[in-house]
Amino acid sequence: VDDYVYAAKRQLRDYGATIVNLVHDSMLVKCPNDPATIREVMALGKETMMNMQYNWGITRVPFLADAKVGNRWGSLKKAS
């Protein structure tokens, strides 16, 4: 696991959020059901995923990330 993920875990705690699962190019985070908190956690998650490339020495191809929100894995919807 990357230093970025450890840093994200520490920051997520400030929002009462935790990483539930991390697989390949996906990070599942549980957080309080508060719109402002959800926005902050999504921004942190996206930033973490998009910056992984630099830790691996990849600088020519940008990593893109999106965020989805929902109560269950199968019902996640793209965040606006």
Side-chain angles (χ1 to χ4, degrees):
V1 177
D2 258 3
D3 292 337
Y4 284 110
V5 175
Y6 286 122
K9 284 174 77 170
R10 286 190 301 274
Q11 290 177 302
L12 286 169
R13 274 190 227 133
D14 294 341
Y15 297 103
T18 56
I19 296 175
V20 176
N21 199 358
L22 185 62
V23 179
H24 303 293
D25 62 349
S26 179
M27 179 170 37
L28 180 64
V29 177
K30 180 179 178 181
C31 76
N33 190 14
D34 168 62
T37 302
I38 292 169
R39 279 192 301 275
E40 292 293 326
V41 168
M42 285 190 313
L44 176 60
K46 286 174 69 172
E47 178 184 342
T48 299
M49 297 302 283
M50 290 180 0
N51 285 319
M52 289 287 201
Q53 70 188 64
Y54 302 111
N55 200 35
W56 297 334
I58 301 170
T59 58
R60 294 180 134 201
V61 179
F63 279 22
L64 302 178
D66 63 358
K68 295 180 181 177
V69 179
N71 292 320
R72 291 180 177 41
W73 180 264
S75 64
L76 300 179
K77 296 187 190 302
K78 190 146 183 139
S80 51

